[in-house]
Amino acid sequence: MTIVPVNRRAFIKSSAAVTAGLVLSPAIIGRAEAATLKLKCSSSLPNDPKYANGRVYCDNLVKNLKANGLGEQIEVAFFPDNQLGQEIDVINSVKLGVIDLMVSGSSISANLVPLVGTFDLGFLFSSFPQQTKAFDAGAAKPIEDALLKGGNIRIIAWAYNFGSRSVLAKKPVKTPEDLAGLKIRTLPNPVITECLRLMGAAATPLAFGEIYTALQAGVLDGLEHDPPTILASKFFETSKFYGLTQHNFSPLAIYFSDMTYNRMDPKLREGFLDAAKKAASDTRAHGLAVEKEALAALTEKGVTLAECDREAFRTRVAPQTENFIKARPESRAVIDIIRATQA
């Protein structure tokens, strides 16, 4: 794997040239079969090999490509820390085939295909293992089909964000009343924003790359995210109270451009997809182990952890799911499978 520091303007310029010249690519028309296929993989998180899910996934992908004998045939260039742009721009570039792979939560693609927002509903999942069982039972298939049809993007594997999402703030948060009036950053995603609003916060959508400076400047009073991301991105330097609301067990999606998928040699594609799925499994195991370590590390850095009245939060958020089903009846089958799945 190549980890690439990049100037965004230069990337956009070169990407335009690549897009314009796709028909001449040896990887597409079959000339020089030994030529290495180069894939670009984006993540908004820092280049942290332990606590950042994008880097962990890419390391696992490269390891499994080598195990499948494809280490010389496929080269993955990894661009962490928003190097290729904010996530909303990157997901559109994946749709267009300018960027091949993106490692991110499912939430960002709900901006392209609203049905994906089903997975963002507050208190929908009870744990990550329960989520995997629900996906294996068929809950993920309608979402995957909708994203391919409406966004030209494949989900080639699911992993976990490294822990459930909870609220880090500049004051203690244990009840909905504690959240009242606090400007809490959410993803620029209407479902998560609505969840935090129902929980009691002044939900504030903001791009990931703008969070730290907004916390420093007092534009935000906190954010909701998983422990390893808070640790890797150093958000604990600005906010010292972590209320364990655990309102969202956000699935980590491995997005793959359908244009890249279709131009890959079928034999190469088969080995790549196998490696990608094995990498997701490895990343899930890593994520479950590292959440506890991150919570301990945050405590060492002066963050106060607090158990919350989760039932009070759950009760306030409950109408969201029924309203979502009314607005998007196709989500009912997905939600029913998840609710019927025991951890």
Side-chain angles (χ1 to χ4, degrees):
M1 177 179 67
T2 304
I3 300 171
V4 186
V6 67
N7 176 283
R8 189 181 173 199
R9 181 176 296 176
F11 167 77
I12 293 171
K13 183 177 179 181
S14 64
S15 295
V18 169
T19 304
L22 283 178
V23 293
L24 301 178
S25 170
I28 301 168
I29 65 175
R31 288 190 292 119
E33 290 185 1
T36 301
L37 175 64
K38 297 183 179 182
L39 302 177
K40 296 186 289 291
C41 179
S42 176
S43 170
S44 66
L45 299 189
N47 187 31
D48 187 312
K50 183 175 184 179
Y51 293 119
N53 53 49
R55 170 67 189 275
V56 171
Y57 178 79
C58 273
D59 284 348
N60 285 326
L61 176 59
V62 170
K63 176 189 72 176
N64 283 288
L65 285 172
K66 290 179 180 178
N68 282 3
L70 299 176
E72 300 299 320
Q73 293 174 266
I74 299 176
E75 178 183 323
V76 180
F78 179 52
F79 298 85
D81 209 18
N82 288 307
Q83 288 183 6
L84 302 186
Q86 299 297 338
E87 287 188 304
I88 190 63
D89 300 318
V90 173
I91 195 73
N92 277 291
S93 292
V94 175
K95 176 181 179 180
L96 297 172
V98 176
I99 296 173
D100 306 293
L101 287 157
M102 179 184 185
V103 182
S104 183
S106 61
S107 309
I108 195 65
S109 59
N111 292 286
L112 297 179
V113 178
L115 183 63
V116 184
T118 306
F119 293 157
D120 295 323
L121 292 167
F123 300 96
L124 178 66
F125 298 103
S126 61
S127 68
F128 281 119
Q130 184 253 353
Q131 180 186 99
T132 294
K133 288 183 179 180
F135 284 8
D136 289 344
K141 185 65 165 55
I143 305 295
E144 294 169 0
D145 290 347
L147 189 58
L148 179 58
K149 181 179 179 180
N152 203 36
I153 295 172
R154 292 177 178 268
I155 301 287
I156 54 173
W158 295 97
Y160 304 147
N161 277 294
F162 291 174
S164 55
R165 298 177 82 97
S166 290
V167 176
L168 180 75
K170 296 180 180 181
K171 57 169 283 189
V173 171
K174 296 183 180 180
T175 68
E177 290 72 27
D178 294 332
L179 266 180
L182 294 187
K183 298 184 292 294
I184 301 299
R185 180 268 177 179
T186 73
L187 280 157
N189 171 301
V191 178
I192 289 186
T193 300
E194 176 69 0
C195 175
L196 267 291
R197 187 191 68 78
L198 290 171
M199 287 170 65
T204 307
L206 194 70
F208 187 87
E210 300 173 14
I211 297 173
Y212 191 94
T213 53
L215 288 166
Q216 278 186 317
V219 175
L220 294 175
D221 298 310
L223 71 148
E224 51 90 43
H225 226 302
D226 60 79
T229 298
I230 288 169
L231 186 63
S233 301
K234 301 185 186 297
F235 296 139
F236 62 84
E237 293 178 347
T238 67
S239 306
K240 295 295 185 182
F241 298 94
Y242 197 36
L244 301 177
T245 55
Q246 296 182 313
H247 54 274
N248 187 297
F249 288 84
S250 176
L252 186 71
I254 314 305
Y255 297 107
F256 189 43
S257 171
D258 191 48
M259 291 182 68
T260 304
Y261 175 92
N262 286 321
R263 73 174 184 257
M264 290 180 76
D265 178 271
K267 292 181 180 178
L268 195 64
R269 184 170 62 206
E270 182 179 349
F272 170 78
L273 293 176
D274 179 71
K277 291 172 182 176
K278 289 176 180 175
S281 179
D282 294 341
T283 303
R284 286 196 294 271
H286 179 93
L288 288 176
V290 86
E291 179 181 14
K292 293 181 180 179
E293 290 184 41
L295 285 170
L298 287 172
T299 301
E300 292 174 2
K301 294 182 180 298
V303 174
T304 299
L305 307 183
E307 294 295 332
C308 294
D309 187 348
R310 295 188 72 238
E311 194 55 40
F313 285 115
R314 187 195 306 275
T315 299
R316 291 186 59 143
V317 173
Q320 182 185 39
T321 299
E322 296 311 314
N323 290 335
F324 191 87
I325 291 172
K326 289 178 182 177
R328 305 196 179 281
E330 66 272 29
S331 67
R332 180 180 290 278
V334 174
I335 292 168
D336 285 348
I337 292 173
I338 294 169
R339 285 174 166 173
T341 303
Q342 300 298 314

